[in-house]
């Protein structure tokens, strides 16, 4: 089935030889509603060079695409920008089949690859500022530690301005055409943001340092070829500007309510809180966790200034889906949020103290007492919900919740 798949030309000498995973939907909690691609690139320089490989089960697809432009034995150099298995899974097979004379990775990546695989050859470590010759072209390197693994690295093809950025600036978006500008910009921005929120957000400060380093390196970037989703060409400033904006976390003018409900009381409270926020003239997104994916909540949180959490009390704590999402958000280390908690209870309201503990651990500034309802909320409680929602909306409207 994979025999006739072709490489796609990216620049004069760079070809995409990756794989399209139309079917994947879930990976350690990341819900990929549009599938993904595993991107690998071939540079047809005097020394033919392969950047990254693909997930192991896509070896045949990658080989077919390579074969459409060269014989695999013609590959002279292999570069591994990132050791995670969606980009290194085929590395042992490729090294055996191609038998390249040179293989490069960052010093930490060398150790990570050796820990994962029984490799048939040695790998030469390269550091930030190093360059290698591809004969008639040069490839430069910049380590990007913890973006998002300690081994991660950028490679840059100087003559054509192509930045091979591994996961950075990528998105989970399975596409048959290879360029970002061939797809609707709202989908591209959403998937780029969702990827940032779920993979890069915990390292926002390192993202800002990386963007500074990119400037210091003075590379004239014309194309950004990441390891997931389509390639950025005419509009390379777009992902750079969005990464900067998200990492700095400026005010967004939006409130996010995340809740779970047992018999509908907490849901009713969420509606009144939302009505209060909207009455202040502020956008409000409401997510019922019971049928929702945590990766989509993270995407919504990226563009929010307030996180409002609702849960009924179950067994002296929050509902399990709320513990799940709050634990997940805690790991993402979102910046500059205000919030509060609300919910119904039968005989104790410990869900709310637990929710507040989570909010404190996440780093949310809790700006209101919790609103609680004994069983079904009466009008007094619903008015409280509306009032607190409006107060939060007023604060967000003034720019509280983000850093100017
Ligand atoms: Fe796409 Fe970190 O692997």
């Amino acid at each position: 089935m994979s025999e006739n798949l072709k490489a796609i030309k990216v620049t004069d000498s760079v070809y995409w030889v990756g794989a399209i995973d139309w079917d994947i939907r879930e990976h350690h909690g990341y819900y990929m509603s549009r599938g993904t691609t595993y991107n690998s690139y071939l540079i047809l320089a005097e020394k033919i060079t392969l950047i990254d490989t693909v997930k192991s089960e896509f070896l045949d697809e990658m080989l077919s695409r390579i074969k459409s432009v060269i014989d695999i034995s013609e590959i002279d150099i292999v570069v591994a920008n990132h050791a995670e298995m969606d980009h290194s899974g085929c590395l042992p097979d490729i090294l055996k089949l191609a038998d390249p004379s040179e293989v490069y990775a960052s010093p930490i990546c060398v150790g990570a690859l050796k820990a994962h695989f029984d490799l048939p050859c040695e790998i030469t470590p390269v550091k930030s500022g190093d360059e290698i010759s591809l004969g008639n072209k040069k490839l430069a390197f910049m380590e990007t530690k913890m973006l998002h693994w300690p081994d991660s690295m950028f490679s840059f093809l100087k003559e054509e301005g192509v930045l091979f950025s591994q996961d950075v600036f990528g998105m989970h978006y399975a596409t048959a055409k290879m360029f970002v500008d061939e797809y609707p910009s709202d989908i591209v921005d959403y998937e780029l943001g969702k990827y940032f929120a779920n993979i890069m957000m915990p390292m926002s400060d390192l993202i800002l340092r990386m963007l500074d380093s990119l400037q210091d390196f003075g590379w004239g970037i014309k194309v950004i070829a990441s390891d997931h989703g389509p390639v950025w060409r005419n509009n390379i400033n777009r992902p750079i500007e969005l990464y900067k904006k998200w990492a700095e976390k400026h005010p967004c003018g939006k409130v996010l309510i995340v809740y779970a409900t047992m018999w509908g009381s907490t849901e009713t409270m969420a509606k009144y809180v939302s009505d209060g926020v909207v009455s202040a003239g502020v956008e409000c997104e409401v997510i019922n966790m019971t049928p929702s994916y945590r990766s989509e909540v993270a995407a919504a949180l990226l563009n929010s200034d307030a996180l409002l959490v609702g849960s009924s009390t179950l067994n002296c704590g929050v509902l399990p889906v709320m513990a799940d999402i709050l634990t997940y958000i805690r790991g993402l280390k979102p910046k500059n949020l205000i919030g509060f908690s609300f919910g119904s209870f039968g005989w104790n309201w410990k869900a709310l103290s637990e929710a507040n503990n989570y909010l404190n651990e996440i780093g949310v500034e809790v700006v209101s007492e919790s609103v609680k309802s004994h069983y079904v909320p009466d009008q007094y409680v619903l008015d409280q919900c509306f009032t607190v929602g409006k107060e939060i909306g007023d604060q967000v409207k003034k720019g509280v919740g983000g850093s100017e």
Side-chain angles (χ1 to χ4, degrees):
M1 181 181 141
S2 300
E3 279 178 9
N4 294 314
L5 294 171
K6 307 284 187 218
I8 297 174
K9 190 168 183 170
V10 175
T11 63
D12 284 349
S13 70
V14 176
Y15 285 76
W16 176 82
V17 289
I20 307 173
D21 193 343
W22 298 105
D23 299 327
I24 190 169
R25 286 294 175 271
E26 204 278 338
H27 180 56
H28 62 47
Y30 193 126
Y31 179 66
M32 304 174 189
S33 54
R34 294 185 168 92
T36 195
T37 64
Y38 311 110
N39 297 341
S40 174
Y41 302 94
L42 204 54
I43 306 171
L44 299 188
E46 281 176 5
K47 290 184 178 179
I48 294 179
T49 301
L50 182 73
I51 309 282
D52 290 330
T53 69
V54 300
K55 219 174 180 181
S56 58
E57 56 262 45
F58 290 88
L59 176 64
D60 287 348
E61 180 169 342
M62 182 181 178
L63 291 176
S64 171
R65 294 191 195 278
I66 292 173
K67 195 175 147 195
S68 72
V69 279
I70 56 155
D71 187 277
I72 190 163
S73 63
E74 295 177 72
I75 293 175
D76 300 293
I77 300 173
V78 173
V79 174
N81 276 333
H82 180 24
E84 195 164 10
M85 284 77 81
D86 47 344
H87 311 299
S88 66
C90 290
L91 185 65
D93 289 303
I94 294 290
L95 294 181
K96 280 178 203 145
L97 291 166
D99 191 21
S101 52
E102 302 165 53
V103 184
Y104 298 98
S106 75
I108 298 174
C109 193
V110 173
L113 291 171
K114 283 183 178 171
H116 279 89
F117 305 111
D118 182 15
L119 297 170
C121 60
E122 286 303 309
I123 305 175
T124 304
V126 284
K127 300 199 282 292
S128 285
D130 287 354
E131 281 184 14
I132 59 169
S133 169
L134 314 185
N136 57 338
K137 297 179 192 295
K138 284 197 177 110
L139 198 64
F141 302 107
M142 181 177 121
E143 290 169 86
T144 56
K145 290 177 187 170
M146 292 316 300
L147 297 178
H148 69 119
W149 275 22
D151 57 82
S152 302
M153 173 176 90
F154 287 171
S155 301
F156 183 66
L157 181 63
K158 293 188 126 181
E159 288 71 13
E160 293 176 26
V162 183
L163 180 72
F164 301 101
S165 62
Q166 37 90 20
D167 286 333
V168 178
F169 305 126
M171 67 189 84
H172 288 313
Y173 189 6
T175 52
K177 294 178 190 168
M178 211 51 240
F179 296 100
V180 163
D181 48 84
E182 296 175 291
Y183 292 91
S185 59
D186 57 337
I187 294 178
V188 165
D189 284 358
Y190 176 76
E191 293 299 342
L192 183 77
K194 183 175 172 185
Y195 196 91
F196 181 97
N198 286 278
I199 309 290
M200 302 292 169
M201 194 197 293
M203 283 77 73
S204 288
D205 292 341
L206 292 177
I207 289 282
L208 293 172
R209 260 189 262 162
M210 176 275 290
L211 294 175
D212 285 344
S213 297
L214 261 189
Q215 208 162 18
D216 294 344
F217 270 52
W219 290 342
I221 300 169
K222 294 179 186 149
V223 171
I224 297 177
S226 81
D227 274 355
H228 293 292
V231 169
W232 300 86
R233 51 178 178 187
N234 307 321
N235 47 359
I236 61 131
N237 288 333
R238 181 76 181 152
I240 292 172
E241 285 165 5
L242 286 173
Y243 261 50
K244 186 167 190 298
K245 181 182 107 170
W246 291 326
E248 288 177 339
K249 186 63 200 305
H250 293 275
C252 320
K254 196 183 108 182
V255 171
L256 175 63
I257 299 176
V258 180
Y259 75 93
T261 194
M262 200 183 299
W263 289 105
S265 291
T266 301
E267 183 165 52
T268 303
M269 296 172 78
K271 181 176 180 332
Y272 276 75
V273 174
S274 167
D275 287 349
V277 173
V278 172
S279 76
V282 167
E283 185 186 348
C284 186
E285 182 169 353
V286 184
I287 299 180
N288 178 354
M289 273 321 296
T290 305
S292 301
Y293 296 100
R294 56 180 96 98
S295 49
E296 291 178 347
V297 174
L301 190 61
L302 184 64
N303 295 306
S304 300
D305 301 321
L307 173 62
L308 315 187
V309 172
S311 179
S312 323
T313 293
L314 176 70
N315 298 332
C316 300
V318 294
L319 289 168
V321 286
M322 292 309 297
D324 181 302
I325 187 60
L326 291 169
T327 302
Y328 186 67
I329 290 173
R330 185 175 60 194
L332 296 179
K333 300 185 174 73
K335 290 180 180 173
N336 303 331
L337 292 166
I338 58 173
F340 86 109
S341 62
F342 61 92
S344 72
F345 67 96
W347 45 97
N348 76 49
W349 52 86
K350 290 189 176 170
L352 299 177
S353 49
E354 189 179 19
N356 284 344
N357 288 341
Y358 271 113
L359 289 174
N360 286 324
E361 288 169 7
I362 291 167
V364 175
E365 183 190 350
V366 177
V367 293
S368 169
E369 292 284 317
S370 299
V371 178
K372 49 185 177 287
S373 173
H374 187 214
Y375 293 117
V376 177
D378 59 18
Q379 194 56 49
Y380 175 76
V381 169
L382 295 177
D383 288 346
Q384 273 187 306
C385 289
F386 184 92
T387 300
V388 177
K390 182 167 185 319
E391 286 168 0
I392 299 267
D394 286 338
Q395 290 188 63
V396 164
K397 200 169 182 181
K398 281 188 230 155
V400 176
S403 61
E404 292 284 8

